[in-house]
Amino acid sequence: MNDFTGSAALQADFIWKNAEDLWGDFKHTDFRKIILPFTLLRRLECALEPTREAVRDAYSLFKDSDIELDTVLRSTAIYPFYNTSEYSLATLGNSKTRRNLEDYLALFSDNARAIFEEFEFGNTVIRLEKAGLLYKIFQNFAKIDLHPDVLPDRVMSNIYEHLIRRFGAEVNEGAEDFMTPRDIVHLATALLLDPDDAQFEASPGLIRTLYDPTCGTGGFLTDAMNHVAGYGSHYKIPPVLVPHGQELEPETHAVCVAGMLIRRLEFDPGRDLSKNIRQGSTLSNDQFAGERFHYCLSNPPFGKKWEKDKKAVEDEHEKGELGRLGPGLPKISDSSMLFLMHLASKLELPANGGGRAAIVLSGSPLFNGAAASGESEIRRWLLENDLVETIIALPTDLFFRTNIATYLWILSNKKLEQRKEKVQLINATSLWTSIKNEGNKRRIVSDDQRCQILDMYAAGETDKLSKMLDYRTFGYRRIKVLRPLRMKLILDQEGLDRLVSDSTWLKLSSAHQSFWLDAIKPLSGQTKDYNWAETFAKDAAKSDKAKALKVKATKTLITALITAFGHKDPEAEPVTDANGELVPDAYLDESFTDARDGLLGRVGYEINFNRFFYQYEPPRKLHDIDDELKQVEAEIAALLAEVASE
């Protein structure tokens, strides 16, 4: 077998090269349906290799007995899955290959077989056979050693994600949208778990639950589990995190399931962790309804619409405090804050040890929405319930498909006393190291920079890059200021045209219309104040001609005159009320109150990093700019002279 060395990217390239035979017979958009399931199949096969003969012997011995066969075979395989087939990829043979492979897959335990069903692998095998490539492809993969002892789960997860990124690049799809770069995963995991070091030390072997509602290939879950496993070098028995996750995309879900099948809990090696990895939309079909967790991690998709989940989301919101999404609903164009509320609802209750969460978000959840909007009400609920512990502004260019500003939120319902009713803002935008471009990822947060961020977080102090702020600092009241109507009346032809098309005018008799036109035309071109319309109409109606025609100065006619000839003018005299009193220039609308506290003005919350970390940079001196321009002009002149001399 070929042994892998070097980075996960190089290992993934090796797998990719073994699939070069696909070109020509398959569209590159179909490659992931072939390469990923074969990689997973080989990974599972390698894990089972040491106990393969023992499992087959146990199956032959107990298959006709009354003993629970599934339990026996799991115990024998030393994994929560097994395979009782006589075949392996290396022994399928070049005749009856498809039939043998189908038999091999069918004799996996149900939990492993479900992985290949999510890829619709049976159809892929038929297509490979028709193209005459089936034997070649599985022989290629049979040569690759993917045993967990050779490639730990973190390295294998990197390989899966690298392959998915390759597929995304090939077909220009958003395959990387769910992927969280390793440096961000390490940072989020450390921020989430390090504050509980004392608890882990005081309680060896402490068992805690872990949850990711957008788990992708399982990178967050794997890293967190590895992180606490590392405590084994400090304590006799390291703590244990029992993972739970949900993923929308079936194929990505299958990759995560495969990873969890191979993971084992030291205190319960036969436990099937893949059962905790569910498939479906977290927003509309919460597979862990009513459950809470000690630790939560998530990197939901940036700017993804939630219109497909609209009915379920709105129903959940209507439950109020009894649901996950009671505080408010954001605009349908961005689901980020739905996941933020969802995670907050999943925090374990303080009475059971409390919960902490880390979630990666774009900048919009910090400031989108005015006072009393859905977004502002969500921020209000989080802050007034003292759930926001820290928000870290990350450098740009950290992600594979976007270079937008991103932020890492830490939620907690078990804050230390000195952090209660406070939020720590950390400006880590300058803490990055350049790397060779990987899509839009041009930077990483190095190990040293990660330690610097962790130190600032642990210190909880106010300095140049860190601010400890009372949560009320982010609140404000939006009041409504009303101004009086300031209007003048311009008696021009355009206004007259509007008047004669007005519905009130059209109801007048032709004699009455002629009367009013004769009264208005002599005033053409004049500008009048607002009160002129009423005075004019009432005076005209007192004339002998008006009395003979029974013309009246009705309120609807006066309104029609104002509507037709009126123009708002901030310089005009303010309109007076019915008693002739001047209305003040500005006044508060006292009916504009907050729905929750009933006080004047609507409450809003906004978290503006620039407000707290802005540093003024004086403009460059003019003579420096002039000198630079002269230098550029000289260079241009030299280039032109060179061209002219040729």
Side-chain angles (χ1 to χ4, degrees):
M1 291 186 180
N2 290 302
D3 197 2
F4 280 123
T5 58
S7 70
L10 292 176
Q11 295 157 356
D13 286 341
F14 184 86
I15 297 173
W16 181 269
K17 289 177 181 177
N18 275 276
E20 288 180 349
D21 296 300
L22 298 173
W23 286 102
D25 293 283
F26 288 86
K27 296 178 181 178
H28 49 263
T29 52
D30 294 331
F31 280 12
R32 68 166 169 262
K33 289 186 175 292
I34 300 171
I35 297 177
L36 274 177
F38 266 110
T39 303
L40 293 172
L41 176 58
R42 181 56 180 158
R43 174 71 164 177
L44 299 180
E45 180 178 87
C46 288
L48 294 176
E49 184 65 35
T51 59
R52 175 184 295 276
E53 293 297 330
V55 168
R56 285 202 290 257
D57 291 344
Y59 176 75
S60 298
L61 182 62
F62 296 110
K63 65 180 180 179
D64 297 321
S65 69
D66 294 332
I67 296 176
E68 178 59 47
L69 186 59
D70 189 70
T71 302
V72 172
L73 297 180
R74 288 171 189 258
S75 177
T76 306
I78 321 179
Y79 282 106
F81 71 103
Y82 54 85
N83 187 294
T84 58
S85 173
E86 296 290 331
Y87 295 110
S88 68
L89 286 179
T91 62
L92 288 176
N94 59 4
S95 63
K96 300 182 180 179
T97 304
R98 177 166 67 88
R99 184 182 301 176
N100 295 343
L101 179 57
E102 290 171 345
D103 176 72
Y104 180 32
L105 293 173
L107 294 179
F108 269 108
S109 54
D110 291 346
N111 50 4
R113 191 168 61 251
I115 294 171
F116 304 101
E117 292 172 356
E118 290 198 73
F119 280 98
E120 299 178 344
F121 193 46
N123 294 334
T124 298
V125 170
I126 292 173
R127 292 183 63 195
L128 283 169
E129 182 185 49
K130 289 182 177 179
L133 294 173
L134 182 58
Y135 180 75
K136 173 66 175 176
I137 294 301
F138 76 68
Q139 282 294 301
N140 288 340
F141 279 91
K143 299 173 184 177
I144 307 172
D145 189 356
L146 300 181
H147 192 279
D149 291 343
V150 176
L151 294 176
D153 54 4
R154 163 44 55 212
V155 177
M156 200 65 216
S157 179
N158 289 348
I159 289 175
Y160 294 143
E161 294 191 359
H162 179 77
L163 287 171
I164 291 170
R165 284 177 50 216
R166 284 285 297 269
F167 296 134
E170 290 290 337
V171 300
N172 195 28
E173 292 180 350
E176 300 164 352
D177 287 349
F178 65 90
M179 291 175 55
T180 312
R182 291 298 128 232
D183 51 326
I184 304 306
V185 171
H186 295 330
L187 174 61
T189 302
L191 287 164
L192 187 71
L193 298 171
D194 282 2
D196 287 343
D197 278 358
Q199 185 181 22
F200 294 146
E201 183 175 6
S203 306
L206 182 68
I207 300 173
R208 285 290 183 258
T209 52
L210 173 68
Y211 172 62
D212 183 349
T214 55
C215 64
T217 62
F220 260 143
L221 297 175
T222 299
D223 251 61
M225 295 173 73
N226 290 346
H227 187 91
V228 297
Y231 288 130
S233 60
H234 302 289
Y235 321 134
K236 291 182 180 179
I237 305 176
V240 174
L241 296 182
V242 181
H244 301 72
Q246 186 163 340
E247 170 57 29
L248 176 62
E249 298 298 331
E251 294 175 8
T252 312
H253 169 257
V255 173
C256 188
V257 167
M260 289 301 161
L261 276 176
I262 294 175
R263 286 211 70 120
R264 289 176 291 184
L265 298 178
E266 190 170 329
F267 72 93
D268 187 8
R271 185 167 184 170
D272 183 2
L273 298 179
S274 72
K275 286 186 176 180
N276 295 338
I277 308 301
R278 313 283 172 76
Q279 197 272 324
S281 170
T282 294
L283 297 180
S284 59
N285 183 20
D286 180 13
Q287 296 282 315
F288 298 94
E291 296 189 45
R292 292 175 176 268
F293 306 92
H294 296 101
Y295 301 107
C296 302
L297 287 159
S298 180
N299 174 25
F302 299 153
K304 184 177 181 180
K305 296 180 180 180
W306 50 276
E307 58 188 353
K308 290 183 179 179
D309 300 309
K310 187 174 184 292
K311 176 63 167 59
V313 166
E314 290 177 343
D315 289 346
E316 187 74 19
H317 173 63
E318 290 299 319
K319 296 177 183 177
E321 294 182 358
L322 299 178
R324 297 172 290 144
L325 310 175
L329 295 180
K331 292 182 178 64
I332 202 163
S333 58
D334 190 353
S335 61
S336 297
M337 298 193 81
L338 296 178
F339 285 102
L340 189 58
M341 281 189 291
H342 174 79
L343 275 196
S345 76
K346 291 297 185 182
L347 297 178
E348 184 56 87
L349 296 173
N352 298 327
R356 292 167 52 77
I359 180 171
V360 182
L361 298 169
S362 65
S364 60
L366 295 171
F367 49 77
N368 265 12
S373 67
E375 293 89 347
S376 181
E377 286 298 293
I378 295 168
R379 287 190 292 271
R380 180 180 187 177
W381 178 77
L382 290 168
L383 291 164
E384 292 185 352
N385 283 280
D386 203 17
L387 294 175
V388 182
E389 184 171 271
T390 305
I391 303 176
I392 301 166
L394 299 172
T396 57
D397 303 314
L398 288 181
F399 287 80
F400 298 113
R401 292 181 64 85
T402 179
N403 56 9
I404 64 171
T406 52
Y407 298 80
L408 183 56
W409 293 54
I410 305 297
L411 306 180
S412 175
N413 62 8
K414 56 173 188 174
K415 287 185 178 182
L416 297 175
E417 190 63 35
Q418 62 268 30
R419 285 184 177 268
K420 288 184 177 179
E421 297 193 343
K422 293 182 180 179
V423 177
Q424 183 182 17
L425 301 185
I426 296 177
N427 180 16
T429 55
S430 62
L431 302 179
W432 53 269
T433 300
S434 294
I435 62 168
K436 182 181 178 181
N437 290 3
E438 296 184 49
N440 283 317
K441 184 172 178 60
R442 301 176 176 87
R443 299 169 174 174
I444 62 167
V445 176
S446 69
D447 292 346
D448 289 342
Q449 289 158 345
R450 180 172 70 251
C451 289
Q452 187 177 346
I453 295 171
L454 291 171
D455 288 344
M456 285 190 287
Y457 168 66
E461 298 174 350
T462 292
D463 54 35
K464 183 178 179 181
L465 297 180
S466 172
K467 308 293 180 186
M468 293 294 294
L469 302 165
D470 188 298
Y471 80 88
R472 299 171 188 84
T473 306
F474 308 112
Y476 63 93
R477 281 189 181 272
R478 178 174 171 243
I479 60 175
K480 184 182 286 187
V481 178
L482 301 179
R483 290 186 174 276
L485 179 64
R486 293 173 179 267
M487 180 176 281
K488 61 185 178 182
L489 305 182
I490 301 175
L491 307 181
D492 56 10
Q493 185 59 46
E494 291 182 1
L496 190 60
D497 292 340
R498 287 192 291 270
L499 177 63
V500 298
S501 61
D502 189 281
S503 59
T504 298
W505 178 270
L506 296 174
K507 292 177 182 178
L508 297 176
S509 66
S510 57
H512 286 191
Q513 289 177 350
S514 297
F515 171 83
W516 288 115
L517 287 175
D518 290 341
I520 294 171
K521 285 182 178 179
L523 305 174
S524 179
Q526 297 184 21
T527 298
K528 303 293 185 179
D529 62 28
Y530 180 89
N531 294 319
W532 169 86
E534 184 174 1
T535 302
F536 161 75
K538 289 183 176 180
D539 288 346
K542 294 177 182 177
S543 68
D544 293 339
K545 184 177 180 181
K547 292 178 181 178
L549 293 172
K550 297 182 180 181
V551 172
K552 295 181 179 180
T554 62
K555 288 184 178 180
T556 55
L557 176 66
I558 294 170
T559 300
L561 291 170
I562 293 171
T563 302
F565 297 112
H567 293 266
K568 290 184 178 180
D569 182 2
E571 302 300 324
E573 290 297 317
V575 176
T576 58
D577 60 21
N579 297 320
E581 297 293 331
L582 287 175
V583 178
D585 279 350
Y587 63 95
L588 295 177
D589 181 358
E590 295 186 0
S591 67
F592 193 73
T593 57
D594 187 75
R596 290 178 58 185
D597 63 21
L599 300 178
L600 179 64
R602 293 179 181 172
V603 173
Y605 280 90
E606 179 178 291
I607 302 172
N608 189 334
F609 265 73
N610 288 337
R611 174 184 172 189
F612 303 103
F613 294 104
Y614 174 75
Q615 292 183 343
Y616 173 73
E617 294 183 6
R620 297 169 60 195
K621 295 181 179 179
L622 287 176
H623 70 80
D624 291 338
I625 298 175
D626 286 339
D627 290 343
E628 186 175 323
L629 287 173
K630 290 176 181 177
Q631 181 180 349
V632 172
E633 288 173 352
E635 291 174 356
I636 293 173
L639 290 171
L640 290 173
E642 183 178 340
V643 172
S645 64
E646 291 180 355

